[in-house]
mmCIF file with all atom_site columns, all heavy atoms in Angstrom:
data_model
loop_
_atom_site.group_PDB
_atom_site.id
_atom_site.type_symbol
_atom_site.label_atom_id
_atom_site.label_alt_id
_atom_site.label_comp_id
_atom_site.label_asym_id
_atom_site.label_entity_id
_atom_site.label_seq_id
_atom_site.pdbx_PDB_ins_code
_atom_site.Cartn_x
_atom_site.Cartn_y
_atom_site.Cartn_z
_atom_site.occupancy
_atom_site.B_iso_or_equiv
_atom_site.pdbx_formal_charge
_atom_site.auth_seq_id
_atom_site.auth_comp_id
_atom_site.auth_asym_id
_atom_site.auth_atom_id
_atom_site.pdbx_PDB_model_num
ATOM 1   N N   . GLN B 1 579 ? -13.724 -19.019 1.057  1.00 0.00 ? 1987 GLN B N   1
ATOM 2   C CA  . GLN B 1 579 ? -12.267 -18.968 1.203  1.00 0.00 ? 1987 GLN B CA  1
ATOM 3   C C   . GLN B 1 579 ? -11.888 -19.664 2.454  1.00 0.00 ? 1987 GLN B C   1
ATOM 4   O O   . GLN B 1 579 ? -12.553 -19.471 3.492  1.00 0.00 ? 1987 GLN B O   1
ATOM 5   C CB  . GLN B 1 579 ? -11.737 -17.538 1.152  1.00 0.00 ? 1987 GLN B CB  1
ATOM 6   C CG  . GLN B 1 579 ? -11.997 -16.868 -0.128 1.00 0.00 ? 1987 GLN B CG  1
ATOM 7   C CD  . GLN B 1 579 ? -11.450 -15.416 -0.134 1.00 0.00 ? 1987 GLN B CD  1
ATOM 8   O OE1 . GLN B 1 579 ? -10.693 -15.075 0.815  1.00 0.00 ? 1987 GLN B OE1 1
ATOM 9   N NE2 . GLN B 1 579 ? -11.833 -14.609 -1.046 1.00 0.00 ? 1987 GLN B NE2 1
ATOM 10  N N   . VAL B 1 580 ? -10.745 -20.361 2.364  1.00 0.00 ? 1988 VAL B N   1
ATOM 11  C CA  . VAL B 1 580 ? -10.059 -20.857 3.604  1.00 0.00 ? 1988 VAL B CA  1
ATOM 12  C C   . VAL B 1 580 ? -8.713  -20.247 3.531  1.00 0.00 ? 1988 VAL B C   1
ATOM 13  O O   . VAL B 1 580 ? -7.945  -20.342 2.625  1.00 0.00 ? 1988 VAL B O   1
ATOM 14  C CB  . VAL B 1 580 ? -9.881  -22.482 3.506  1.00 0.00 ? 1988 VAL B CB  1
ATOM 15  C CG1 . VAL B 1 580 ? -9.266  -22.969 4.783  1.00 0.00 ? 1988 VAL B CG1 1
ATOM 16  C CG2 . VAL B 1 580 ? -11.253 -23.119 3.149  1.00 0.00 ? 1988 VAL B CG2 1
ATOM 17  N N   . ARG B 1 581 ? -8.371  -19.665 4.738  1.00 0.00 ? 1989 ARG B N   1
ATOM 18  C CA  . ARG B 1 581 ? -7.107  -18.879 4.816  1.00 0.00 ? 1989 ARG B CA  1
ATOM 19  C C   . ARG B 1 581 ? -6.363  -19.561 5.940  1.00 0.00 ? 1989 ARG B C   1
ATOM 20  O O   . ARG B 1 581 ? -6.746  -20.074 6.832  1.00 0.00 ? 1989 ARG B O   1
ATOM 21  C CB  . ARG B 1 581 ? -7.473  -17.441 5.331  1.00 0.00 ? 1989 ARG B CB  1
ATOM 22  C CG  . ARG B 1 581 ? -8.107  -16.566 4.203  1.00 0.00 ? 1989 ARG B CG  1
ATOM 23  C CD  . ARG B 1 581 ? -8.728  -15.303 4.679  1.00 0.00 ? 1989 ARG B CD  1
ATOM 24  N NE  . ARG B 1 581 ? -9.380  -14.596 3.492  1.00 0.00 ? 1989 ARG B NE  1
ATOM 25  C CZ  . ARG B 1 581 ? -10.293 -13.646 3.627  1.00 0.00 ? 1989 ARG B CZ  1
ATOM 26  N NH1 . ARG B 1 581 ? -10.738 -13.265 4.877  1.00 0.00 ? 1989 ARG B NH1 1
ATOM 27  N NH2 . ARG B 1 581 ? -10.780 -13.047 2.637  1.00 0.00 ? 1989 ARG B NH2 1
ATOM 28  N N   . ASN B 1 582 ? -5.012  -19.550 5.580  1.00 0.00 ? 1990 ASN B N   1
ATOM 29  C CA  . ASN B 1 582 ? -4.025  -20.365 6.357  1.00 0.00 ? 1990 ASN B CA  1
ATOM 30  C C   . ASN B 1 582 ? -4.504  -21.821 6.348  1.00 0.00 ? 1990 ASN B C   1
ATOM 31  O O   . ASN B 1 582 ? -4.677  -22.343 7.459  1.00 0.00 ? 1990 ASN B O   1
ATOM 32  C CB  . ASN B 1 582 ? -3.756  -19.767 7.698  1.00 0.00 ? 1990 ASN B CB  1
ATOM 33  C CG  . ASN B 1 582 ? -2.621  -20.304 8.471  1.00 0.00 ? 1990 ASN B CG  1
ATOM 34  O OD1 . ASN B 1 582 ? -1.811  -21.092 7.897  1.00 0.00 ? 1990 ASN B OD1 1
ATOM 35  N ND2 . ASN B 1 582 ? -2.458  -19.934 9.700  1.00 0.00 ? 1990 ASN B ND2 1
ATOM 36  N N   . ILE B 1 583 ? -4.647  -22.321 5.264  1.00 0.00 ? 1991 ILE B N   1
ATOM 37  C CA  . ILE B 1 583 ? -5.279  -23.723 5.123  1.00 0.00 ? 1991 ILE B CA  1
ATOM 38  C C   . ILE B 1 583 ? -4.537  -24.861 5.809  1.00 0.00 ? 1991 ILE B C   1
ATOM 39  O O   . ILE B 1 583 ? -5.128  -25.800 6.307  1.00 0.00 ? 1991 ILE B O   1
ATOM 40  C CB  . ILE B 1 583 ? -5.514  -24.098 3.627  1.00 0.00 ? 1991 ILE B CB  1
ATOM 41  C CG1 . ILE B 1 583 ? -4.208  -24.143 2.883  1.00 0.00 ? 1991 ILE B CG1 1
ATOM 42  C CG2 . ILE B 1 583 ? -6.559  -23.101 2.985  1.00 0.00 ? 1991 ILE B CG2 1
ATOM 43  C CD1 . ILE B 1 583 ? -4.423  -24.483 1.465  1.00 0.00 ? 1991 ILE B CD1 1
ATOM 44  N N   . PHE B 1 584 ? -3.222  -24.629 6.055  1.00 0.00 ? 1992 PHE B N   1
ATOM 45  C CA  . PHE B 1 584 ? -2.413  -25.706 6.751  1.00 0.00 ? 1992 PHE B CA  1
ATOM 46  C C   . PHE B 1 584 ? -2.269  -25.377 8.217  1.00 0.00 ? 1992 PHE B C   1
ATOM 47  O O   . PHE B 1 584 ? -1.424  -26.020 8.909  1.00 0.00 ? 1992 PHE B O   1
ATOM 48  C CB  . PHE B 1 584 ? -1.102  -25.860 6.058  1.00 0.00 ? 1992 PHE B CB  1
ATOM 49  C CG  . PHE B 1 584 ? -1.241  -26.341 4.631  1.00 0.00 ? 1992 PHE B CG  1
ATOM 50  C CD1 . PHE B 1 584 ? -0.816  -25.501 3.609  1.00 0.00 ? 1992 PHE B CD1 1
ATOM 51  C CD2 . PHE B 1 584 ? -1.813  -27.581 4.260  1.00 0.00 ? 1992 PHE B CD2 1
ATOM 52  C CE1 . PHE B 1 584 ? -1.018  -25.840 2.274  1.00 0.00 ? 1992 PHE B CE1 1
ATOM 53  C CE2 . PHE B 1 584 ? -1.939  -27.978 2.883  1.00 0.00 ? 1992 PHE B CE2 1
ATOM 54  C CZ  . PHE B 1 584 ? -1.558  -27.147 1.977  1.00 0.00 ? 1992 PHE B CZ  1
ATOM 55  N N   . ASP B 1 585 ? -3.039  -24.384 8.740  1.00 0.00 ? 1993 ASP B N   1
ATOM 56  C CA  . ASP B 1 585 ? -3.019  -24.141 10.212 1.00 0.00 ? 1993 ASP B CA  1
ATOM 57  C C   . ASP B 1 585 ? -1.672  -23.821 10.728 1.00 0.00 ? 1993 ASP B C   1
ATOM 58  O O   . ASP B 1 585 ? -1.278  -24.195 11.773 1.00 0.00 ? 1993 ASP B O   1
ATOM 59  C CB  . ASP B 1 585 ? -3.705  -25.282 10.982 1.00 0.00 ? 1993 ASP B CB  1
ATOM 60  C CG  . ASP B 1 585 ? -4.193  -24.848 12.305 1.00 0.00 ? 1993 ASP B CG  1
ATOM 61  O OD1 . ASP B 1 585 ? -4.519  -23.655 12.495 1.00 0.00 ? 1993 ASP B OD1 1
ATOM 62  O OD2 . ASP B 1 585 ? -4.209  -25.665 13.242 1.00 0.00 ? 1993 ASP B OD2 1
ATOM 63  N N   . GLU B 1 586 ? -0.864  -22.985 9.948  1.00 0.00 ? 1994 GLU B N   1
ATOM 64  C CA  . GLU B 1 586 ? 0.500   -22.589 10.331 1.00 0.00 ? 1994 GLU B CA  1
ATOM 65  C C   . GLU B 1 586 ? 0.523   -21.675 11.554 1.00 0.00 ? 1994 GLU B C   1
ATOM 66  O O   . GLU B 1 586 ? -0.292  -20.705 11.633 1.00 0.00 ? 1994 GLU B O   1
ATOM 67  C CB  . GLU B 1 586 ? 1.124   -21.870 9.119  1.00 0.00 ? 1994 GLU B CB  1
ATOM 68  C CG  . GLU B 1 586 ? 2.523   -21.420 9.404  1.00 0.00 ? 1994 GLU B CG  1
ATOM 69  C CD  . GLU B 1 586 ? 3.603   -22.517 9.118  1.00 0.00 ? 1994 GLU B CD  1
ATOM 70  O OE1 . GLU B 1 586 ? 3.160   -23.659 8.737  1.00 0.00 ? 1994 GLU B OE1 1
ATOM 71  O OE2 . GLU B 1 586 ? 4.786   -22.238 9.212  1.00 0.00 ? 1994 GLU B OE2 1
ATOM 72  N N   . LYS B 1 587 ? 1.403   -22.042 12.464 1.00 0.00 ? 1995 LYS B N   1
ATOM 73  C CA  . LYS B 1 587 ? 1.617   -21.212 13.618 1.00 0.00 ? 1995 LYS B CA  1
ATOM 74  C C   . LYS B 1 587 ? 2.745   -20.189 13.278 1.00 0.00 ? 1995 LYS B C   1
ATOM 75  O O   . LYS B 1 587 ? 3.842   -20.563 12.972 1.00 0.00 ? 1995 LYS B O   1
ATOM 76  C CB  . LYS B 1 587 ? 2.019   -22.074 14.825 1.00 0.00 ? 1995 LYS B CB  1
ATOM 77  C CG  . LYS B 1 587 ? 2.294   -21.277 16.061 1.00 0.00 ? 1995 LYS B CG  1
ATOM 78  C CD  . LYS B 1 587 ? 2.688   -22.170 17.266 1.00 0.00 ? 1995 LYS B CD  1
ATOM 79  C CE  . LYS B 1 587 ? 3.067   -21.350 18.518 1.00 0.00 ? 1995 LYS B CE  1
ATOM 80  N NZ  . LYS B 1 587 ? 3.529   -22.224 19.546 1.00 0.00 ? 1995 LYS B NZ  1
ATOM 81  N N   . TYR B 1 588 ? 2.343   -18.951 13.297 1.00 0.00 ? 1996 TYR B N   1
ATOM 82  C CA  . TYR B 1 588 ? 3.423   -17.898 12.972 1.00 0.00 ? 1996 TYR B CA  1
ATOM 83  C C   . TYR B 1 588 ? 3.137   -16.631 13.685 1.00 0.00 ? 1996 TYR B C   1
ATOM 84  O O   . TYR B 1 588 ? 2.130   -16.327 14.125 1.00 0.00 ? 1996 TYR B O   1
ATOM 85  C CB  . TYR B 1 588 ? 3.354   -17.798 11.451 1.00 0.00 ? 1996 TYR B CB  1
ATOM 86  C CG  . TYR B 1 588 ? 2.251   -17.008 10.848 1.00 0.00 ? 1996 TYR B CG  1
ATOM 87  C CD1 . TYR B 1 588 ? 2.353   -15.677 10.497 1.00 0.00 ? 1996 TYR B CD1 1
ATOM 88  C CD2 . TYR B 1 588 ? 1.024   -17.568 10.677 1.00 0.00 ? 1996 TYR B CD2 1
ATOM 89  C CE1 . TYR B 1 588 ? 1.309   -14.977 9.954  1.00 0.00 ? 1996 TYR B CE1 1
ATOM 90  C CE2 . TYR B 1 588 ? -0.084  -16.938 10.131 1.00 0.00 ? 1996 TYR B CE2 1
ATOM 91  C CZ  . TYR B 1 588 ? 0.112   -15.630 9.751  1.00 0.00 ? 1996 TYR B CZ  1
ATOM 92  O OH  . TYR B 1 588 ? -0.942  -14.935 9.270  1.00 0.00 ? 1996 TYR B OH  1
ATOM 93  N N   . MET B 1 589 ? 4.241   -15.723 13.700 1.00 0.00 ? 1997 MET B N   1
ATOM 94  C CA  . MET B 1 589 ? 4.221   -14.469 14.143 1.00 0.00 ? 1997 MET B CA  1
ATOM 95  C C   . MET B 1 589 ? 5.143   -13.524 13.348 1.00 0.00 ? 1997 MET B C   1
ATOM 96  O O   . MET B 1 589 ? 6.149   -14.045 12.888 1.00 0.00 ? 1997 MET B O   1
ATOM 97  C CB  . MET B 1 589 ? 4.630   -14.395 15.620 1.00 0.00 ? 1997 MET B CB  1
ATOM 98  C CG  . MET B 1 589 ? 3.865   -15.170 16.654 1.00 0.00 ? 1997 MET B CG  1
ATOM 99  S SD  . MET B 1 589 ? 4.447   -15.086 18.348 1.00 0.00 ? 1997 MET B SD  1
ATOM 100 C CE  . MET B 1 589 ? 5.879   -16.164 18.257 1.00 0.00 ? 1997 MET B CE  1
ATOM 101 N N   . SER B 1 590 ? 4.760   -12.264 13.261 1.00 0.00 ? 1998 SER B N   1
ATOM 102 C CA  . SER B 1 590 ? 5.774   -11.304 12.610 1.00 0.00 ? 1998 SER B CA  1
ATOM 103 C C   . SER B 1 590 ? 6.191   -10.398 13.667 1.00 0.00 ? 1998 SER B C   1
ATOM 104 O O   . SER B 1 590 ? 7.016   -9.431  13.401 1.00 0.00 ? 1998 SER B O   1
ATOM 105 C CB  . SER B 1 590 ? 5.070   -10.522 11.503 1.00 0.00 ? 1998 SER B CB  1
ATOM 106 O OG  . SER B 1 590 ? 3.921   -9.783  11.889 1.00 0.00 ? 1998 SER B OG  1
ATOM 107 N N   . MET B 1 591 ? 5.667   -10.376 14.980 1.00 0.00 ? 1999 MET B N   1
ATOM 108 C CA  . MET B 1 591 ? 6.151   -9.626  16.022 1.00 0.00 ? 1999 MET B CA  1
ATOM 109 C C   . MET B 1 591 ? 6.209   -10.572 17.281 1.00 0.00 ? 1999 MET B C   1
ATOM 110 O O   . MET B 1 591 ? 5.322   -11.450 17.480 1.00 0.00 ? 1999 MET B O   1
ATOM 111 C CB  . MET B 1 591 ? 5.157   -8.521  16.378 1.00 0.00 ? 1999 MET B CB  1
ATOM 112 C CG  . MET B 1 591 ? 5.206   -7.348  15.472 1.00 0.00 ? 1999 MET B CG  1
ATOM 113 S SD  . MET B 1 591 ? 6.687   -6.318  15.694 1.00 0.00 ? 1999 MET B SD  1
ATOM 114 C CE  . MET B 1 591 ? 6.304   -5.516  17.255 1.00 0.00 ? 1999 MET B CE  1
ATOM 115 N N   . PRO B 1 592 ? 7.177   -10.496 18.169 1.00 0.00 ? 2000 PRO B N   1
ATOM 116 C CA  . PRO B 1 592 ? 7.334   -11.355 19.261 1.00 0.00 ? 2000 PRO B CA  1
ATOM 117 C C   . PRO B 1 592 ? 6.126   -11.327 20.178 1.00 0.00 ? 2000 PRO B C   1
ATOM 118 O O   . PRO B 1 592 ? 5.586   -10.269 20.505 1.00 0.00 ? 2000 PRO B O   1
ATOM 119 C CB  . PRO B 1 592 ? 8.548   -10.847 20.032 1.00 0.00 ? 2000 PRO B CB  1
ATOM 120 C CG  . PRO B 1 592 ? 9.321   -10.041 18.996 1.00 0.00 ? 2000 PRO B CG  1
ATOM 121 C CD  . PRO B 1 592 ? 8.300   -9.494  18.126 1.00 0.00 ? 2000 PRO B CD  1
ATOM 122 N N   . GLY B 1 593 ? 5.717   -12.521 20.567 1.00 0.00 ? 2001 GLY B N   1
ATOM 123 C CA  . GLY B 1 593 ? 4.543   -12.615 21.483 1.00 0.00 ? 2001 GLY B CA  1
ATOM 124 C C   . GLY B 1 593 ? 3.213   -12.310 20.963 1.00 0.00 ? 2001 GLY B C   1
ATOM 125 O O   . GLY B 1 593 ? 2.203   -12.280 21.731 1.00 0.00 ? 2001 GLY B O   1
ATOM 126 N N   . ARG B 1 594 ? 3.074   -12.248 19.582 1.00 0.00 ? 2002 ARG B N   1
ATOM 127 C CA  . ARG B 1 594 ? 1.882   -11.834 19.010 1.00 0.00 ? 2002 ARG B CA  1
ATOM 128 C C   . ARG B 1 594 ? 1.457   -12.821 17.870 1.00 0.00 ? 2002 ARG B C   1
ATOM 129 O O   . ARG B 1 594 ? 1.697   -12.596 16.774 1.00 0.00 ? 2002 ARG B O   1
ATOM 130 C CB  . ARG B 1 594 ? 1.840   -10.390 18.508 1.00 0.00 ? 2002 ARG B CB  1
ATOM 131 C CG  . ARG B 1 594 ? 2.078   -9.332  19.496 1.00 0.00 ? 2002 ARG B CG  1
ATOM 132 C CD  . ARG B 1 594 ? 2.080   -7.995  18.994 1.00 0.00 ? 2002 ARG B CD  1
ATOM 133 N NE  . ARG B 1 594 ? 2.255   -6.910  19.970 1.00 0.00 ? 2002 ARG B NE  1
ATOM 134 C CZ  . ARG B 1 594 ? 1.358   -6.411  20.797 1.00 0.00 ? 2002 ARG B CZ  1
ATOM 135 N NH1 . ARG B 1 594 ? 0.116   -6.862  20.590 1.00 0.00 ? 2002 ARG B NH1 1
ATOM 136 N NH2 . ARG B 1 594 ? 1.620   -5.424  21.599 1.00 0.00 ? 2002 ARG B NH2 1
ATOM 137 N N   . PRO B 1 595 ? 0.771   -13.946 18.302 1.00 0.00 ? 2003 PRO B N   1
ATOM 138 C CA  . PRO B 1 595 ? 0.491   -14.923 17.340 1.00 0.00 ? 2003 PRO B CA  1
ATOM 139 C C   . PRO B 1 595 ? -0.607  -14.502 16.315 1.00 0.00 ? 2003 PRO B C   1
ATOM 140 O O   . PRO B 1 595 ? -1.451  -13.690 16.660 1.00 0.00 ? 2003 PRO B O   1
ATOM 141 C CB  . PRO B 1 595 ? -0.005  -16.161 18.109 1.00 0.00 ? 2003 PRO B CB  1
ATOM 142 C CG  . PRO B 1 595 ? 0.505   -15.841 19.501 1.00 0.00 ? 2003 PRO B CG  1
ATOM 143 C CD  . PRO B 1 595 ? 0.556   -14.411 19.658 1.00 0.00 ? 2003 PRO B CD  1
#
Side-chain angles (χ1 to χ4, degrees):
Q1987 298 179 11
V1988 185
R1989 293 165 177 160
N1990 192 4
I1991 59 178
F1992 299 112
D1993 202 26
E1994 179 85 355
K1995 178 182 177 180
Y1996 73 101
M1997 294 181 287
S1998 63
M1999 286 285 288
R2002 297 183 180 275

